[in-house]
Amino acid sequence: MKPKAIIKLSVDILMTLALLFLMGYHLWGEVLHEWVGAGMLLLFIAHHMLNGCWHKSLFKGKYNIMRILTLCIDILVLVSMLVQMYSGIVMSRYVFEFLPSIGGMSLARRLHILGAYWGYILMCLHLGLHWNMILGMFRKVTGIQDRSKIRSIIAIVAGLIIAVYGVRSFISRDFSTFLLLQTEFVFLDYSESKILFYTDYLALMGLCIFIAHYILKTIRELRKKSINSCLY
């Protein structure tokens, strides 16, 4: 792998780990939450700098359904991250305390809830849309070249099991309540197990990756069939 590709992959892995850490606010405390949030801001800026070609290509080429879907998710991820950054800075009591107060704490709290929960879902969908690329990088790193039907079947079965558990996590964690902002407060269990919390959130991540990956795969297959039918 080229050095730039390694740096990009490292930044993306760190962003994913930071995202998981930030969702467990009650498990680590407010100070660490703010510092990791500030680190996430730097990683987000680095991610966009390293993917400058994405910005340059926005107004080039044709837009098919796959490109439109990917662009919509990417833009929504960008919006959710900007919302998180703004609301996080407004509510900051440690990292950005030196900044003058601009008020609007109630609005910032609402935006932070929306940004956090929508941001998590959208970031996981974003991962799913780029899953083929991630798998390609994984194969390069591990040196796996050949394709195996057995590995594919195992991957699909494992993905289904994780997705089913992810649905359970979505329901038990009341995600729909926060996505629709049906409450302005998140009631946190400070005594819950870190292992259980991250098992639930990783399963939810797996669910989103599974959905996005197979939606994109289905679109590609339908497009391929459409092109083949036009040739005959």
Side-chain angles (χ1 to χ4, degrees), residues 35-48:
W35 280 108
V36 174
M40 185 71 159
L41 169 59
L42 296 176
L43 288 169
F44 183 70
I45 292 168
H47 175 82
H48 275 269

Side-chain angles (χ1 to χ4, degrees), residues 56-72:
K56 293 176 183 176
S57 66
L58 283 176
F59 301 103
K60 294 179 181 178
K62 293 182 179 179
Y63 274 85
N64 55 35
I65 189 166
M66 289 189 296
R67 193 177 177 192
I68 291 169
L69 176 63
T70 304
L71 179 62
C72 287

Side-chain angles (χ1 to χ4, degrees), residues 78-113:
L78 176 61
V79 171
S80 69
M81 287 299 295
L82 292 173
V83 165
Q84 282 293 83
M85 290 169 194
Y86 165 76
S87 58
I89 290 169
V90 170
M91 295 192 299
S92 176
R93 296 171 57 191
Y94 301 98
V95 180
F96 299 103
E97 64 174 343
F98 62 91
L99 294 175
S101 175
I102 57 175
M105 288 292 286
S106 179
L107 174 62
R109 189 184 300 111
R110 292 192 198 101
L111 289 175
H112 211 65
I113 292 172

Side-chain angles (χ1 to χ4, degrees), residues 18-152:
L19 179 68
L20 283 163
F21 182 92
L22 290 169
M23 294 306 292
Y25 163 80
H26 57 301
L27 301 175
W28 307 104
E30 193 172 351
V31 178
L32 270 177
H33 183 81
E34 285 199 20
W35 280 108
V36 174
M40 185 71 159
L41 169 59
L42 296 176
L43 288 169
F44 183 70
I45 292 168
H47 175 82
H48 275 269
M49 289 175 68
L50 290 166
N51 292 277
C53 55
W54 178 79
H55 299 276
K56 293 176 183 176
S57 66
L58 283 176
F59 301 103
K60 294 179 181 178
K62 293 182 179 179
Y63 274 85
N64 55 35
I65 189 166
M66 289 189 296
R67 193 177 177 192
I68 291 169
L69 176 63
T70 304
L71 179 62
C72 287
I73 295 294
D74 288 348
I75 289 172
L76 288 171
V77 168
L78 176 61
V79 171
S80 69
M81 287 299 295
L82 292 173
V83 165
Q84 282 293 83
M85 290 169 194
Y86 165 76
S87 58
I89 290 169
V90 170
M91 295 192 299
S92 176
R93 296 171 57 191
Y94 301 98
V95 180
F96 299 103
E97 64 174 343
F98 62 91
L99 294 175
S101 175
I102 57 175
M105 288 292 286
S106 179
L107 174 62
R109 189 184 300 111
R110 292 192 198 101
L111 289 175
H112 211 65
I113 292 172
L114 283 172
Y117 286 89
W118 275 109
Y120 188 78
I121 295 293
L122 290 165
M123 283 278 280
C124 296
L125 289 172
H126 174 81
L127 282 173
L129 292 176
H130 295 85
W131 199 240
N132 277 338
M133 183 181 71
I134 294 168
L135 289 176
M137 288 183 178
F138 176 77
R139 289 192 191 101
K140 282 184 181 179
V141 171
T142 56
I144 297 172
Q145 298 295 332
D146 63 310
R147 293 186 177 274
S148 165
K149 283 188 177 180
I150 294 173
R151 274 203 308 267
S152 297

Side-chain angles (χ1 to χ4, degrees), residues 1-12 50 137:
M1 288 177 70
K2 294 179 180 179
K4 187 176 179 180
I6 294 171
I7 293 170
K8 285 172 71 173
L9 181 61
S10 301
V11 168
D12 291 347
L50 290 166
M137 288 183 178

